[in-house]
Amino acid sequence: MIELAWYKKCLRRDPTSTIQRYCSYIMKILISNDDGFTAPGIVALFEALKDVAEVEVIAPEHNNSAKSNALTVTSPLYVHRASNGFRYVNGTPADCVHIALTGLLEYRPDLVVSGINNGANMGDDTIYSGTVGAAMEGYLFGIPAIAFSQVQRDWLHLDAAARKARELILSLHQQQLVTRSPWLLNVNVPNLPYADIGTVKLCRLGRRHAAERVIQQTSPRGETMYWIGAAGAAADDAEGTDFHATAQGHMSMTPLQVDLTDHDHLGYWAQTISCLSTGADCT
Ligand code: MN
């Protein structure tokens, strides 16, 4: 187990330290998000990780929530550095991680961490989420990645969520899981004081109802405007889901995969397709 004090000595590159051999274990973490580089969630995440890892923040300039894995391929991307050292990009969360891993960074990070998002990313949210998209981009490049979200959108107890994120990352690192084959974790943290947050529950994704109706308004110029409606309420929040765990005050952790193949129905479709090609009645 690597003690926190050792990390600090390594990060200071203390030449008199007798623990320099451990310094190769210092994690290099790339942080991104979808709420933008000024969002309290990414600042809290950086503050929580900066003394236990070499941390680089590369995040969207503006809010890119619900941008999923979108990449910008029809216009150039620009990278600027803010006064706090964060780099920001006029693109999506996946753009940030993509350009970081394909030339912007001169090294390969050990871990990509996304968040902490302003609001839950549970169930169907994970398909749309830019927070998950940033983490997934790291995973697609073969790097372990975690997306963190707070369940409510009020930043309440953000310090507790950041502390929990740091603890989870440190324990994954201490178990030597960060340098192994890539994985993708989706973590939601309830907005509770640190002492009241329960254990980490391994969950499957729940399901949501379809989104609420589109909101129609008239613009000052008399045109009809449409606003995408709110996400639907939970449709499957049974025990074992992320919805259930967080409602009980626990952190939910769901390992995600990217393969969208409907493996369970491959047999059904094999049969169906042979009916289609032979013209047989398969009803
Ligand atoms: Mn967001």
Side-chain angles (χ1 to χ4, degrees):
M1 198 144 114
I2 301 167
E3 297 296 336
L4 181 58
W6 298 354
Y7 280 111
K8 287 183 175 168
K9 283 185 182 175
C10 288
L11 288 174
R12 284 201 305 270
R13 296 192 168 78
D14 180 353
T16 61
S17 167
T18 55
I19 49 97
Q20 283 302 302
R21 67 196 171 95
Y22 290 102
C23 294
S24 60
Y25 291 113
I26 290 273
M27 274 182 293
K28 294 184 182 67
I29 298 180
L30 170 62
I31 294 181
S32 194
N33 75 345
D34 76 359
D35 297 327
F37 76 104
T38 60
I42 200 167
V43 176
L45 192 56
F46 172 76
E47 291 296 325
L49 296 176
K50 69 178 185 190
D51 65 347
V52 293
E54 286 187 26
V55 182
E56 189 78 49
V57 177
I58 304 176
E61 183 174 11
H62 302 295
N63 191 322
N64 271 259
S65 293
K67 290 285 167 71
S68 189
N69 287 71
L71 289 177
T72 303
V73 294
T74 53
S75 59
L77 295 167
Y78 296 91
V79 182
H80 295 283
R81 199 180 280 277
S83 56
N84 65 354
F86 290 9
R87 283 189 262 193
Y88 59 93
V89 181
N90 61 327
T92 66
D95 284 334
C96 294
V97 175
H98 191 100
I99 63 173
L101 301 181
T102 54
L104 181 59
L105 291 182
E106 280 156 9
Y107 60 90
R108 183 179 167 87
D110 301 306
L111 182 68
V112 173
V113 184
S114 181
I116 299 170
N117 188 57
N118 188 22
N121 277 310
M122 304 193 288
D124 309 25
D125 304 339
T126 49
I127 294 288
Y128 299 97
S129 167
T131 308
V132 174
M136 195 178 285
E137 194 67 13
Y139 174 73
L140 290 172
F141 277 83
I143 297 173
I146 314 182
F148 286 103
S149 305
Q150 268 197 306
V151 174
Q152 286 161 222
R153 285 210 174 124
D154 51 14
W155 298 122
L156 197 64
H157 303 300
L158 177 59
D159 54 331
R163 211 172 138 193
K164 288 290 183 183
R166 166 195 161 114
E167 285 175 8
L168 181 60
I169 289 168
L170 280 180
S171 44
L172 288 166
H173 184 45
Q174 282 162 1
Q175 301 293 328
Q176 301 191 354
L177 292 171
V178 172
T179 48
R180 290 205 190 144
S181 53
W183 35 258
L184 175 59
L185 297 176
N186 183 46
V187 176
N188 285 272
V189 188
N191 299 55
L192 293 170
Y194 178 81
D196 296 340
I197 296 175
T199 53
V200 178
K201 294 276 186 197
L202 189 66
C203 298
R204 67 178 174 88
L205 298 179
R207 289 298 309 269
R208 283 190 189 276
H209 288 287
E212 314 243 321
R213 275 180 70 83
V214 70
I215 298 153
Q216 212 170 308
Q217 291 178 332
T218 305
S219 84
R221 296 201 172 96
E223 290 172 307
T224 304
M225 307 183 290
Y226 297 90
W227 292 88
I228 297 285
D236 173 8
D237 57 359
E239 195 165 349
T241 64
D242 41 10
F243 289 103
H244 188 272
T246 54
Q248 305 295 315
H250 296 291
M251 288 168 66
S252 68
M253 183 170 99
T254 306
L256 301 180
Q257 61 181 6
V258 177
D259 179 2
L260 295 176
T261 309
D262 185 353
H263 290 279
D264 290 348
H265 289 99
L266 276 176
Y268 163 81
W269 284 107
Q271 220 172 12
T272 304
I273 223 158
S274 82
C275 289
L276 291 176
S277 57
T278 57
D281 182 8
C282 296
T283 52

